[in-house]
């Protein structure tokens, strides 16, 4: 009996000791208690940011991305990251976002890296390269092919942290007030076309003009420009470009899958706690996919509307014109590497990735699209 009692008592003592040890292990030491309090304070701190964009306020497609990004981050963070979005011209001009966020006028911007070619010619490669990678390939290069590391390195020089935050897919070649039947028709043609594509048009005899989206329609309608590219059917319809020019050309050789960007002031980024940084990383990647999905879903009906309701004349650029543009592109893109050592490293990362992905996609994506092919819209007419 006594032996049993002693055994029970020892078991109770042992259990008590275990509990004490467990509590001792779980209970915060004085130092970590203070850390917990600090972390608790950080968890409730609200970060109020401004995001300035290149797009007119409330523009569908491109302009929806910054609004959706801000909405998602507000919900994900339970209001701790509260971002107010400004359209082009509301806080600073459409093409002043890079400098404004760099200097801290706003904490975040949304645009396209080719608008900042003046800072470094290689910046454009993070948006799009004529005859270069499409949306799927850009995402592969940026997120798994070393592109993002180089983009971060380039933007760090300007106190910025970039993120991929949207992609339109292959764009249209643009709107022209006359037919393009040969390379002669490009001579002296004043066309709104940004990025490397603008330089290529210049080599082919055209006159590139850089205008933010909000100024395109008026410039085309008043004859300041003869032609413009913008995005694709969904976004072009929203701008009513079909009322200012009749001929709508494809394919968008100059923008085969441009990455849109979000960029954050580096000081503002470093001030965020790790969980909010992770939310920005995730939300931008979600928006990057979201834009491509929306364009993929909406371009089809928009093109039908343009052709069937607005009598738009759909045309394919002639092969010999494409060939001249292709040769000029190779020349212009190769010159990017000469700008400085970082530009060369960006070029030396992009081009081999393009070669590799093109080789594989020739027997996968492209081979599949070829076997799926139906007659082109003109052939079907
Ligand atoms: Ca465009």
């Amino acid at each position: 009996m006594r032996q049993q009692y002693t055994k029970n008592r020892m078991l109770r003592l042992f259990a008590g000791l275990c509990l004490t040890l467990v509590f001792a292990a779980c209970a915060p030491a004085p130092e970590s208690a203070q850390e917990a309090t600090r972390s608790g304070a950080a968890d409730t701190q609200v970060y109020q940011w401004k995001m300035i964009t290149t797009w007119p306020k409330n523009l569908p497609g491109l302009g929806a991305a910054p609004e959706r990004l801000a909405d998602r981050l507000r919900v994900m963070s339970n209001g701790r990251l509260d971002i107010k979005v400004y359209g082009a011209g509301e806080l600073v001009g459409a093409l002043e976002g890079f400098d404004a966020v760099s200097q801290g006028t706003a904490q975040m911007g949304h645009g396209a890296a080719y608008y900042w070619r003046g800072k470094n010619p290689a910046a454009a490669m993070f948006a799009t390269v004529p005859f270069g990678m499409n949306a799927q390939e850009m995402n592969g290069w940026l997120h798994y092919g070393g592109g993002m590391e180089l983009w971060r390195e380039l933007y760090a020089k300007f106190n910025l942290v970039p993120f991929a935050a949207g992609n339109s897919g292959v764009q249209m070649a643009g709107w022209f007030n006359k037919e393009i039947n040969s390379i002669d028709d490009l001579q002296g043609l004043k066309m709104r076309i940004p990025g490397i594509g603008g330089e290529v048009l210049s080599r082919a005899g055209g006159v590139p003009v850089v205008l933010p989206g909000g100024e395109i329609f008026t410039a085309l309608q008043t004859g300041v420009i003869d032609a413009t590219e913008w995005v694709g059917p969904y976004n072009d319809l929203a701008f009513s470009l079909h009322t200012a020019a009749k001929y709508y050309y494809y394919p968008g050789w100059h923008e085969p899958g441009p990455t849109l960007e979000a960029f954050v002031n580096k000081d503002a980024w470093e001030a965020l706690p790790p969980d909010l940084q992770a939310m920005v990383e995730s939300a931008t990647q979600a928006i990057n996919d979201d834009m491509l999905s929306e364009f993929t879903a909406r371009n089809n009906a928009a093109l039908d509307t343009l052709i069937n309701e607005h009598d738009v004349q759909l045309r394919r650029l002639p092969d010999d014109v494409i060939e001249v543009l292709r040769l000029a592109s190779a020349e212009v893109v190769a010159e990017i590497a000469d700008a400085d050592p970082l530009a060369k490293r960006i070029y030396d990362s992009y081009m081999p990735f393009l070669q590799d992905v093109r080789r594989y996609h020739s027997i996968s994506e492209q081979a599949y699209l070829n076997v799926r092919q139906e007659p082109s819209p003109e052939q079907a007419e």
Side-chain angles (χ1 to χ4, degrees), residues 81-366:
L81 185 50
D82 187 16
I83 303 175
K84 183 169 166 49
V85 178
Y86 294 85
E90 286 192 313
L91 206 59
V92 298
L95 301 182
E96 292 167 3
F98 190 93
D99 287 338
V101 176
S102 172
Q103 291 155 14
T105 306
Q107 291 76 19
M108 197 173 198
H110 193 270
Y114 54 48
Y115 289 127
W116 328 124
R117 281 176 72 218
K119 305 292 181 188
N120 188 307
M125 299 189 93
F126 297 112
T128 196
V129 172
F131 299 97
M133 292 190 230
N134 67 13
Q136 181 183 351
E137 295 160 354
M138 276 300 290
N139 285 330
W141 177 57
L142 288 173
H143 297 125
Y144 286 93
M148 183 56 76
E149 289 77 7
L150 289 163
W151 197 2
R152 295 253 160 111
E153 186 178 338
L154 174 64
Y155 273 31
K157 293 175 185 294
F158 303 96
N159 199 38
L160 294 171
V161 183
F163 302 86
N167 198 304
S168 67
V170 178
Q171 299 202 350
M172 291 290 284
W175 298 87
F176 296 77
N177 60 13
K178 62 175 185 183
E179 283 192 85
I180 304 298
N181 295 316
S182 75
I183 200 67
D184 291 343
D185 292 316
L186 293 185
Q187 305 313 302
L189 185 91
K190 280 180 288 177
M191 179 172 183
R192 182 273 180 189
I193 174 170
I196 304 169
E199 179 60 26
V200 173
L201 178 71
S202 167
R203 303 273 172 108
V207 182
V209 177
V210 176
L211 289 174
E215 296 173 26
I216 293 176
F217 176 80
T218 307
L220 187 60
Q221 198 187 36
T222 57
V224 171
I225 53 176
D226 307 311
T228 186
E229 68 79 54
W230 176 224
V231 184
Y234 178 55
N235 255 170
D236 293 3
L237 180 63
F239 267 178
S240 296
L241 295 175
H242 56 280
T243 65
K246 187 176 172 189
Y247 298 102
Y248 197 23
Y249 273 88
Y250 71 93
W253 58 274
H254 64 302
E255 295 205 48
T259 296
L260 288 310
E261 60 176 3
F263 44 93
V264 176
N265 176 279
K266 202 158 180 286
D267 303 319
W269 173 252
E270 284 164 2
L272 285 186
D275 63 332
L276 291 186
Q277 287 184 337
M279 288 178 210
V280 173
E281 294 267 11
S282 296
T284 47
Q285 199 151 5
I287 288 299
N288 194 45
D289 293 342
D290 179 76
M291 186 190 288
L292 186 61
S293 303
E294 184 175 22
F295 277 120
T296 301
R298 298 198 196 282
N299 274 332
N300 319 309
L303 182 62
D304 286 346
T305 301
L306 286 168
I307 293 173
N308 299 328
E309 294 179 26
H310 300 292
D311 203 24
V312 163
Q313 300 297 304
L314 188 66
R315 297 282 187 275
R316 185 185 184 279
L317 285 173
D319 285 338
D320 55 344
V321 172
I322 292 274
E323 200 46 36
V324 170
L325 294 169
R326 186 203 310 277
L327 292 172
S329 294
E331 197 179 284
V332 173
V333 173
E335 288 169 14
I336 290 173
D338 300 335
D340 64 29
L342 180 53
K344 180 164 178 9
R345 284 167 51 221
I346 295 167
Y347 177 87
D348 286 345
S349 172
Y350 184 103
M351 294 310 284
F353 194 96
L354 171 61
Q355 308 289 348
D356 288 349
V357 83
R358 192 165 53 190
R359 196 170 58 242
Y360 176 61
H361 276 177
S362 71
I363 60 146
S364 54
E365 307 292 326
Q366 190 173 336

Side-chain angles (χ1 to χ4, degrees), residues 47-61:
Y47 296 82
Q48 287 188 312
W49 280 12
K50 295 172 185 162
M51 173 160 38
I52 49 186
T53 81
T54 311
W55 327 115
K57 186 78 176 168
N58 298 322
L59 176 76

